């Protein structure tokens, strides 16, 4: 099970690495991360895949939004009601929505769009003020809990690169308060 969750996180890391160039018009309140495109990206995904989607992860880089929507490998809901696959979508302001060709096996906690409860213009203010010598790399939305016991709530994280050479993941509340960090 953890290996499949790792596959989703690994996919988001690969997509992040591939997004390191291009024009960004995001606000300085988000240090260039395209939080302003998350709603537009979700609208595009819902237009293509439907509105009753569950998500493993949504993340924003300086160039794009990655959306990892939960689904079933065979298209038929499982007896336990839990998804067993992920469909990856990539959204850019320039190119719109692109979809990965095939679903990939995955499981883990999920959340629905209505669980998103944050202000994209202000959620990063405090962490950016408190860590001025670090560079934001990715804003990440994931579900809290486990696949079998998902809370349905969203966990907000900001991945940072320190000028000292380390990386850390800063866990935030929906109001931007720093809850904790994970050093990498």
């Amino acid at each position: 099970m953890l290996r499949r969750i790792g596959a989703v996180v690994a996919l988001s890391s690969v997509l992040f690495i591939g997004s390191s160039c291009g024009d960004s018009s995001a606000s300085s309140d988000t240090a260039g991360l395209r939080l302003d495109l998350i709603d537009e990206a979700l609208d595009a995904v819902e237009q293509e895949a439907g509105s009753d989607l569950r998500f493993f992860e949504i993340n924003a880089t300086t160039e794009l939004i990655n959306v990892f929507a939960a689904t079933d490998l065979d298209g038929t809901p499982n007896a336990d009601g839990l998804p067993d696959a992920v469909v990856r979508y990539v959204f850019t302001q320039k190119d719109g929505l692109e979809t990965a060709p095939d679903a990939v096996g995955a499981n883990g906690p999920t959340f629905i769009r209505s669980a998103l409860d944050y202000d994209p213009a202000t959620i990063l203010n405090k962490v950016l003020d408190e860590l001025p010598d670090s560079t934001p790399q990715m804003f990440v939305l994931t579900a809290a809990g486990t696949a079998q016991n998902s809370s349905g709530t969203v966990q907000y994280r900001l991945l940072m690169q320190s000028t000292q050479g380390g990386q850390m993941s800063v866990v935030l509340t929906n109001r931007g308060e720093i809850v904790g960090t994970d050093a990498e």
Side-chain angles (χ1 to χ4, degrees):
M1 178 167 97
L2 289 177
R3 189 168 41 171
R4 288 187 178 179
I5 293 170
V8 172
V9 174
L11 281 173
S12 67
S13 297
V14 168
L15 290 174
F16 167 68
I17 290 167
S19 68
S20 62
C21 60
D23 178 42
S24 174
S25 60
S27 164
S28 62
D29 293 341
T30 61
L33 298 179
R34 297 309 309 261
L35 277 63
D36 61 314
L37 292 179
I38 291 174
D39 278 338
E40 191 175 340
L42 292 177
D43 289 345
V45 170
E46 288 179 345
Q47 184 175 2
E48 182 168 312
S51 60
D52 292 332
L53 298 175
R54 301 195 69 77
F55 303 99
F56 287 114
E57 178 179 327
I58 300 166
N59 66 58
T61 72
T62 58
E63 304 303 323
L64 54 85
I65 306 301
N66 293 300
V67 178
F68 298 91
T71 190
D72 292 296
L73 278 174
D74 62 3
T76 304
N78 298 315
D80 62 7
L82 299 174
D84 62 6
V86 61
V87 174
R88 176 179 40 110
Y89 299 89
V90 178
F91 181 85
T92 63
Q93 191 170 36
K94 178 182 173 190
D95 297 326
L97 187 67
E98 295 179 24
T99 307
D102 296 313
V104 177
N107 64 24
T110 60
F111 63 93
I112 57 175
R113 184 176 184 175
S114 63
L116 297 176
D117 182 25
Y118 71 101
D119 181 350
T122 62
I123 191 166
L124 303 182
N125 289 349
K126 184 169 185 158
V127 68
L128 294 175
D129 286 345
E130 291 195 19
L131 298 169
D133 294 330
S134 295
T135 304
Q137 302 292 306
M138 183 186 297
F139 178 67
V140 182
L141 306 163
T142 57
T146 64
Q148 289 78 20
N149 193 18
S150 180
S151 68
T153 60
V154 177
Q155 185 175 71
Y156 305 89
R157 289 183 179 267
L158 181 61
L159 303 180
M160 303 284 283
Q161 176 71 45
S162 169
T163 56
Q164 304 297 318
Q167 294 181 337
M168 79 172 105
S169 172
V170 181
V171 181
L172 306 170
T173 67
N174 66 333
R175 302 209 184 281
E177 296 295 321
I178 298 172
V179 179
T181 62
D182 296 324
E184 296 181 15

